[in-house]
Amino acid sequence: FGMAGGLVLMGALAFVLPVSAAFVTHGLLQLVANGWRAVLHRQHIEWKVLGWFALAMLAAGALIYAISFLPPKPLVFLMMGMLPVLLWLPIGWFAPDAAKPSHALASGFVAALLNLTAGVSGPLIDTVFVRTGLTRHQIVATKAAIQSLNHVSKITVYGMMLDRAASAAMPPWWLFALAIPASMLGTTAGGWVLDRLSDANFKRWTAWIVTAIGVFYLWKAWDLWF
């Protein structure tokens, strides 16, 4: 359920902060959550898969920084709202496999671009993993490590692009001091739930929860534009 949590947090931050400040704040908070999740499940990380994704993310981050692209807020909500569609595509239409280097490279590049324009990329990364032969623990552990790198990229790119107004809008330090241990506690509790779900139920519940969140974000994008 980490993907749903990240999607909710990004939306909440986008409601109240400038886009660049929201991206940096989301990256800082989610780096702790995903990093702690990766540590808790480190024995299940597929390191070769992580390496291919890391190379792709580096290329995508360099591209976004080079063109200094900062998405408008309605576009952020639109892209977040459309992401859950990936979870419902028939297997024959879109069936990447994270265990294949070429699939990991291509998916990692696109996921990093999404992360740097929509603020999140969990649904795409989940699609790359959900059709592999990996267990739920391997999926969660490797995805957490990948997302940790994604958040480092987001913090770096948008941290260097923060203007004075966005810097002033960043949450106070004490909010991070409260949120960081809370996210670690939530991640630990999520691991307890994960151990009690079957692989099939984990994938099914994730898809439905993320889809409901996406519908709300599509409505928000429409409201901001029109």
Side-chain angles (χ1 to χ4, degrees), residues 49-64 104-113 115-116 121 125 129 142-154 157:
V49 174
L50 178 61
W52 291 117
F53 269 86
L55 287 175
M57 290 175 193
L58 181 62
L63 174 62
I64 293 295
L105 279 170
S107 301
F109 184 78
V110 176
L113 288 180
N115 185 58
L116 293 170
S121 57
I125 296 177
F129 280 91
T142 309
K143 185 171 175 290
I146 289 171
Q147 289 290 59
S148 296
L149 295 180
N150 245 339
H151 295 311
V152 169
S153 174
K154 185 162 55 181
V157 170

Side-chain angles (χ1 to χ4, degrees), residues 83-172:
L83 279 174
V85 172
L86 295 169
L87 299 177
W88 299 101
L89 291 178
I91 293 178
W93 289 15
F94 183 66
D97 185 346
K100 298 179 179 179
S102 60
H103 290 201
L105 279 170
S107 301
F109 184 78
V110 176
L113 288 180
L114 282 173
N115 185 58
L116 293 170
T117 53
V120 291
S121 57
L124 175 59
I125 296 177
D126 189 74
T127 302
V128 180
F129 280 91
V130 78
R131 294 177 174 89
T132 67
L134 301 179
T135 68
R136 64 188 184 280
H137 288 93
Q138 290 173 318
I139 291 172
V140 168
T142 309
K143 185 171 175 290
I146 289 171
Q147 289 290 59
S148 296
L149 295 180
N150 245 339
H151 295 311
V152 169
S153 174
K154 185 162 55 181
I155 294 166
T156 302
V157 170
Y158 286 103
M160 291 188 291
M161 291 169 58
L162 277 175
D163 57 27
R164 183 174 298 178
S167 297
M170 287 288 292

Side-chain angles (χ1 to χ4, degrees), residues 6-7 9-11 14 19 22-23 26 64 69-84 110-123 154 158 217:
L7 203 57
L9 178 60
M10 184 64 227
V19 170
F23 276 26
H26 182 266
I64 293 295
F69 178 70
L70 182 64
K73 191 167 292 192
L75 180 60
V76 172
F77 279 105
L78 176 64
M79 295 182 70
M80 285 195 296
M82 294 178 64
L83 279 174
V110 176
L113 288 180
L114 282 173
N115 185 58
L116 293 170
T117 53
V120 291
S121 57
K154 185 162 55 181
Y158 286 103
Y217 287 159

